[in-house]
Amino acid sequence: MTTVYERRAAPPVTPPARRSPAGAVLALLWAGAAAVVAMWWADTPSVVGAAGWLTGSGRIAGLLCGYACAVLVGLMARVPLLERRVGSDRVARWHAMAGRYTICLLVAHIVLILLGYAAQDRASIWHETVTVVLDYPDMLKATFGTVILLSVGITSARAARRRLSYEFWYYVHLLTYVAVFLAFFHQLTLGNEFNGHRLATAAWYALYLGVAALVLWFRVLAPVRLNLRHRMRVQSVHREAPGVYSIVVHGRRLDELGARPGQFFRWRFLGEGLGWTSTPYSLSAPPRPDLMRITVKALGDHSAAVSLLRPGTRVWAEGPYGSMTEDRQTSPRSLLIAAGVGITPLRALFETLPGEVTLLYRARTAEDLALGAELEAIARWRGAKVLYALNGPGGQRPNLTAQSLRASFPDLAGHDVYLCGPHGFARDLYEELRAAGVPDRRIHHESFEF
């Protein structure tokens, strides 16, 4: 496979790291939440009695839940500013956190409002629930939306995710759009903050329509334009290691995509029953004007079927995404640490990252070292180092601790560290790197556990 991609000389100067807009984005999101609370405050002159406190608290929870729904969908829109500058893994964590906030606020809104209405009407909770659902305008739709949103929350819990296939989780997750649509109308119909308040109503419409426009453009229209323009197909499939295959994709004017080493696309292969699922795979070599390559390990139904792809199969791609590129580099010395199939984005960076670069590759056995011949060739070409951390003859795992890392790299704290591998491996190694004195800003990692 090394003959497919032309090597290029690494730039002699390390470019300055681009500052992430993550802080500004978070500040903007929290400012929006504060504005929502201020809207409730301006419309609530006084709160009297237990029923008033319950109802008022339910209204705050409902308004914040409505705002969180918009944020939740906005973070799913795959906006390039977020996906490429903030980082797809960080945006995914924000989305997961927003989902937890949304579910908690939703439950609080339902419970507090029903308790407040029941206290006000001197009725039972059951009677008040039936009355609200069946008699209040737009509440039947909102109830269906609530059921869907709670179902999405349950299937997104870590314990449930471990038992569900990615495909099932993915399609259930898409129902979030339906849930938000169904729940939207009762907010304006029943929300005191919107009745007779044109400015508040216009702002709420602008929030939801703006988020809908982001989703329509970046998740529907932009991918359609990309794939009609570049017309990608599978050119070849190659075995790299046991259960690991590289897929070379051919297309027109692929350089116009602006893809960079370290980034990934979401791929659909329109054959072998794979077209229904969009799965993220990193580029495992620097992209060329007519070719891109990914390397996949058979970890599930989708990735296992990728090895069966035939040349000529149509490819539907979305991207590029991810911020684990040379833009994060702050030092002329870099250490790349890969485990398993996490070698794929780091192999591309190993060829192109400027400065002094060392690659540490963790695998169980020498046979599991995917792309090993390429790594050795790149190391010879650019005068870099490749180190391997393999299991011992008895299966004992090598110790990648703060002490062993400092012993191997005495100036480790002065390195940028690019880290990619299974979630547990990356989490543990991050802690060891911090203990070894590597600043957090110099540890670069993206997780693909969406």
Side-chain angles (χ1 to χ4, degrees):
M1 291 303 298
T2 55
T3 59
V4 175
Y5 293 91
E6 299 174 356
R7 301 193 187 104
R8 54 193 183 191
V13 180
T14 301
R18 297 174 67 186
R19 186 173 181 179
S20 169
V25 174
L26 282 178
L28 181 63
L29 294 179
W30 283 112
V36 169
V37 174
M39 185 169 63
W40 172 86
W41 182 272
D43 191 66
T44 308
S46 62
V47 179
V48 180
W53 280 103
L54 288 168
T55 303
S57 299
R59 286 170 56 200
I60 294 176
L63 284 170
L64 288 174
C65 181
Y67 173 73
C69 283
V71 171
L72 193 69
V73 174
L75 292 174
M76 294 171 65
R78 299 175 185 167
V79 179
L81 172 66
L82 300 179
E83 298 284 337
R84 301 175 191 174
R85 294 288 307 282
V86 175
S88 298
D89 64 331
R90 182 179 292 184
V91 173
R93 290 196 297 271
W94 289 356
H95 173 72
M97 183 179 297
R100 290 190 286 271
Y101 285 156
T102 301
I103 296 299
C104 290
L105 289 167
L106 177 62
V107 172
H109 170 63
I110 294 170
V111 172
L112 291 169
I113 282 291
L114 290 177
L115 287 174
Y117 285 180
Q120 180 178 304
D121 297 340
R122 300 180 184 277
S124 68
I125 292 294
W126 173 250
H127 177 271
E128 200 64 39
T129 301
V130 173
T131 300
V132 168
V133 171
L134 297 181
D135 295 344
Y136 281 40
D138 294 316
M139 271 307 303
L140 199 56
K141 289 186 292 186
T143 300
F144 283 118
T146 298
V147 171
I148 294 173
L149 203 57
L150 290 174
S151 300
V152 173
I154 291 171
T155 56
S156 297
R158 188 176 294 273
R161 283 288 312 276
R162 287 196 293 263
R163 293 172 172 80
L164 299 173
S165 68
Y166 173 82
E167 292 79 8
F168 180 82
W169 171 85
Y170 176 79
Y171 286 111
V172 170
H173 216 63
L174 289 180
L175 292 176
T176 301
Y177 297 122
V178 179
V180 172
F181 175 78
L182 291 173
F184 172 75
F185 299 99
H186 92 286
Q187 300 174 48
L188 298 176
T189 304
L190 301 176
N192 292 341
E193 293 75 17
F194 303 109
N195 292 330
H197 297 81
R198 293 184 178 179
L199 183 60
T201 301
W204 212 247
Y205 267 113
L207 173 65
Y208 272 79
L209 290 176
V211 167
L214 291 177
V215 172
L216 178 62
W217 179 255
F218 291 114
R219 294 206 64 164
V220 180
L221 299 181
V224 169
R225 177 181 179 274
L226 182 156
N227 287 279
L228 290 178
R229 182 175 180 81
H230 298 288
R231 298 186 179 276
M232 287 175 274
R233 292 182 180 272
V234 172
Q235 175 170 290
S236 58
V237 179
H238 304 266
R239 183 180 183 274
E240 303 286 1
V244 180
Y245 292 84
S246 285
I247 296 89
V248 178
V249 175
H250 179 272
R252 302 186 304 180
R253 300 188 296 272
L254 297 182
D255 52 325
E256 296 178 3
L257 292 171
R260 307 177 64 191
Q263 292 187 312
F264 68 94
F265 286 75
R266 297 174 188 267
W267 304 89
R268 295 178 191 269
F269 299 99
L270 306 184
E272 307 298 336
L274 301 178
W276 295 101
T277 304
S278 171
T279 306
Y281 296 123
S282 296
L283 299 176
S284 61
R288 281 180 42 173
D290 59 340
L291 296 175
M292 294 192 293
R293 188 185 73 177
I294 61 175
T295 301
V296 179
K297 184 173 183 178
L299 298 174
D301 294 340
H302 186 276
S303 54
V306 165
S307 64
L308 304 176
L309 289 171
R310 299 176 181 177
T313 300
R314 288 292 303 272
V315 178
W316 184 276
E318 300 174 39
Y321 301 123
S323 64
M324 196 170 66
T325 67
E326 70 177 49
D327 284 344
R328 289 193 178 186
Q329 196 176 30
T330 63
S331 168
R333 298 185 302 279
S334 299
L335 172 62
L336 315 181
I337 305 179
V341 78
I343 189 62
T344 54
L346 298 192
R347 181 265 180 244
L349 284 171
F350 188 50
E351 181 175 335
T352 59
L353 203 61
E356 179 185 324
V357 182
T358 301
L359 173 65
L360 176 60
Y361 190 175
R362 167 77 180 97
R364 287 179 297 177
T365 67
E367 189 180 26
D368 295 318
L369 293 172
L371 308 174
E374 292 186 21
L375 298 175
E376 294 288 350
I378 293 169
R380 290 192 298 270
W381 161 67
R382 64 173 300 174
K385 296 180 182 178
V386 181
L387 306 175
Y388 302 104
L390 306 178
N391 289 359
Q396 61 270 30
R397 299 165 61 89
N399 290 323
L400 297 179
T401 63
Q403 292 76 18
S404 66
L405 290 169
R406 275 200 302 261
S408 300
F409 307 96
D411 57 345
L412 180 61
H415 284 67
D416 278 294
V417 181
Y418 288 79
L419 175 61
C420 192
H423 177 71
F425 170 85
R427 181 192 61 235
D428 294 342
L429 195 52
Y430 171 85
E431 297 298 332
E432 297 297 336
L433 289 168
R434 295 291 289 121
V438 182
D440 179 73
R441 71 179 185 278
R442 287 188 170 174
I443 303 176
H444 316 303
H445 169 248
E446 281 190 331
S447 169
F448 295 94
E449 292 198 342
F450 296 108

